[in-house]
Amino acid sequence: MSIADNLKQVLTELPQGVRLVAVSKFHPNEAIEEAYQAGQRIFGESKVQEMTAKYESLPKDIEWHFIGHLQTNKIKYMIPYVAMIHGIDTYKLLEEVNKQAAKAGRIVNCLLQIHVAQEENKFGFSPEECKEMLAAGAWKELSHIRLCGLMGMASNTDNTEQIDSEFRLLDRLFQEIKTTCFADSTYFRELSMGMSHDYHQAIAAGSTMVRVGSKIFGERNYNN
């Protein structure tokens, strides 16, 4: 099947209210262009340099989402155009995004990354750290970022019950934070969870945004 066919198949599986981030990292412009011609507009990248090169050479109505682990010294390069940053995993990072967004005269949409997986190599706030950070309230002074929700990854395991449990934990945290900290907000509404191998489970647990790559583009070429 072609990229366009794969894309259409994934889209037919998404209920209303769930958006698709097509994970295009390590894939060439030609692959993105095929998905673009099939109607996809939101693409996810994990390397700032690669995303910036693609932004500069591809259609300007593409909505670029940064989904990787973000280093503070790279933020300034993507701030002028990035639509959403999925992986805010420290308050320091949030401050730096706000600083660079202020310089660029933008308000940047951000998701707080929550660590619920069993793997130690995954990043993010623990649920308690996230609640403590929000309760402290200093983030309210950061006028050039907009907190739009949470993001998380389940463990890379064949144990579907564990995956379900982790996604449900994320959804409960999302609902709690939405009620306690963002009750009057119209923009805190995104729960980004689910990838090619587990997005059906993520949707069942409440995901509003899935990040699907290999199911659309095939396996990545890491040597690009």
Side-chain angles (χ1 to χ4, degrees):
M1 290 174 68
S2 67
I3 288 172
D5 289 336
N6 292 339
L7 174 67
K8 288 171 185 173
Q9 178 61 43
V10 171
L11 287 172
T12 62
E13 298 170 352
L14 302 187
Q16 189 173 1
V18 178
R19 292 194 292 163
L20 170 66
V21 179
V23 179
S24 50
K25 61 182 184 179
F26 306 120
H27 291 290
N29 283 11
E30 294 76 21
I32 298 172
E33 286 167 350
E34 185 176 343
Y36 178 89
Q37 292 302 325
Q40 181 64 19
R41 291 295 181 271
I42 307 175
F43 292 89
E45 293 284 333
S46 64
K47 303 288 184 186
V48 174
Q49 187 173 358
E50 180 182 354
M51 184 171 71
T52 300
K54 289 174 176 176
Y55 162 75
E56 291 171 350
S57 59
L58 288 163
K60 290 300 179 280
D61 62 336
I62 286 177
E63 192 177 301
W64 294 103
H65 287 217
F66 188 80
I67 60 173
H69 181 58
L70 185 56
Q71 296 170 298
T72 53
N73 63 339
K74 300 287 180 66
I75 293 171
K76 60 186 176 183
Y77 299 111
M78 68 173 180
I79 283 297
Y81 67 87
V82 70
M84 180 171 281
I85 300 172
H86 285 232
I88 300 291
D89 57 5
T90 65
Y91 185 74
K92 179 184 175 185
L93 198 59
L94 202 59
E95 286 184 308
E96 185 63 24
V97 170
N98 182 72
K99 175 183 171 183
Q100 297 300 333
K103 288 181 183 178
R106 291 194 68 208
I107 296 175
V108 175
N109 294 327
C110 298
L111 302 178
L112 299 175
Q113 182 170 354
I114 309 300
H115 184 188
V116 294
Q118 297 299 315
E119 294 104 328
E120 290 299 320
N121 62 344
K122 288 198 167 70
F123 298 96
F125 293 95
S126 72
E128 287 306 316
E129 287 169 342
C130 182
K131 287 190 281 188
E132 287 170 9
M133 186 272 286
L134 291 172
W139 59 274
K140 295 177 183 177
E141 303 301 317
L142 305 179
S143 57
H144 288 269
I145 59 98
R146 182 182 293 123
L147 292 181
C148 296
L150 306 181
M151 180 273 250
M153 289 177 278
S155 298
N156 185 10
T157 176
D158 293 328
N159 184 338
T160 57
E161 289 183 3
Q162 181 179 338
I163 292 170
D164 283 339
S165 174
E166 290 166 358
F167 282 152
R168 286 197 302 269
L169 173 60
L170 266 172
D171 181 59
R172 285 195 302 272
L173 180 66
F174 171 73
Q175 299 298 341
E176 178 184 346
I177 289 172
K178 186 175 176 62
T179 303
T180 56
C181 300
F182 295 94
D184 299 324
S185 167
T186 58
Y187 50 80
F188 191 89
R189 57 177 183 263
E190 302 293 355
L191 182 55
S192 172
M193 60 184 191
M195 298 186 289
S196 284
H197 61 288
D198 58 16
Y199 67 92
H200 294 103
Q201 289 175 264
I203 291 168
S207 176
T208 67
M209 188 178 287
V210 294
R211 310 179 303 274
V212 179
S214 58
K215 195 100 180 259
I216 297 169
F217 296 106
E219 293 305 315
R220 305 182 194 109
N221 180 3
Y222 293 94
N223 297 316
N224 275 3

